[in-house]
Amino acid sequence: MGFLLSKAMEQNFQKQQEFMQINGRLQLERQLLMQNQMRERQMAMQVAWSREFLKYFGSFFGLAALGLTVGAVKNKKPALLAPVIPLSFILVYQLDTAYGSLLHRMREEAESIMASESERLALPQGMPTFESIEKSRRAKAHLSLLEK
């Protein structure tokens, strides 16, 4: 009788362990998907910001270039066109960010760094551990108790 009960309990325990493993894996997959969606949303906002900024900067650049060109021709001073050069670099950078391949090139460079220069990516004092987080949490909790 006891043997049968023990065997049934052991089978139930194994089923629970399998369920916990599946549940843990599912939870991790959901967290990864959520983090990726948040990253994609942040990237989309960054591209949208670049496109919006480009509208304003493009208008400014066009007016400035036109004004400086008219001023240079009227006053016969070609030096007035000098500010157009650095402004054009900014405009091209914004165009590349908003509509070009800058993000693709940055991703490729990041992948290259991760593959061949991973030592540059190491965190100071290494990866946080449960113990280090708990130590910090306890220290802050202790300080907040002292303040009260």
Side-chain angles (χ1 to χ4, degrees):
M1 176 81 177
F3 175 73
L4 291 174
L5 185 63
S6 169
K7 191 172 185 179
M9 285 179 62
E10 188 174 320
Q11 288 175 346
N12 191 24
F13 180 71
Q14 286 178 347
K15 286 180 184 178
Q16 271 188 325
Q17 278 187 322
E18 288 173 17
F19 172 76
M20 288 173 62
Q21 283 179 334
I22 291 170
N23 194 29
R25 181 182 174 101
L26 184 63
Q27 185 178 13
L28 180 61
E29 287 174 1
R30 285 180 179 150
Q31 286 177 348
L32 290 172
L33 284 171
M34 182 186 67
Q35 287 176 350
N36 191 48
Q37 283 184 2
M38 292 302 295
R39 182 193 59 79
E40 287 174 349
R41 290 176 186 183
Q42 289 172 343
M43 291 292 292
M45 285 296 292
Q46 186 176 10
V47 171
W49 181 90
S50 292
R51 289 179 179 176
E52 192 65 25
F53 180 79
L54 182 62
K55 291 174 191 175
Y56 290 99
F57 188 78
S59 299
F60 166 75
F61 178 80
L63 290 173
L66 181 67
L68 290 170
T69 303
V70 168
V73 170
K74 273 188 172 181
N75 296 329
K76 297 181 183 177
K77 292 183 181 178
L80 287 175
L81 292 174
V84 173
I85 295 169
L87 290 175
S88 64
F89 280 104
I90 297 170
L91 181 67
V92 170
Y93 174 79
Q94 287 300 323
L95 275 167
D96 196 19
T97 302
Y99 296 103
S101 61
L102 177 68
L103 294 177
H104 297 290
R105 293 192 315 269
M106 287 173 59
R107 184 180 311 120
E108 288 173 4
E109 184 64 24
E111 288 172 355
S112 171
I113 291 168
M114 290 175 77
S116 61
E117 301 175 48
S118 59
E119 68 279 355
R120 291 180 177 258
L121 306 175
L123 292 170
Q125 298 181 352
M127 281 287 289
T129 63
F130 178 77
E131 290 79 17
S132 67
I133 293 169
E134 277 297 298
K135 182 179 177 183
S136 176
R137 185 190 65 79
R138 286 184 183 131
K140 288 181 181 177
H142 178 71
L143 287 177
S144 65
L145 289 175
L146 290 176
E147 290 175 356
K148 291 180 182 180

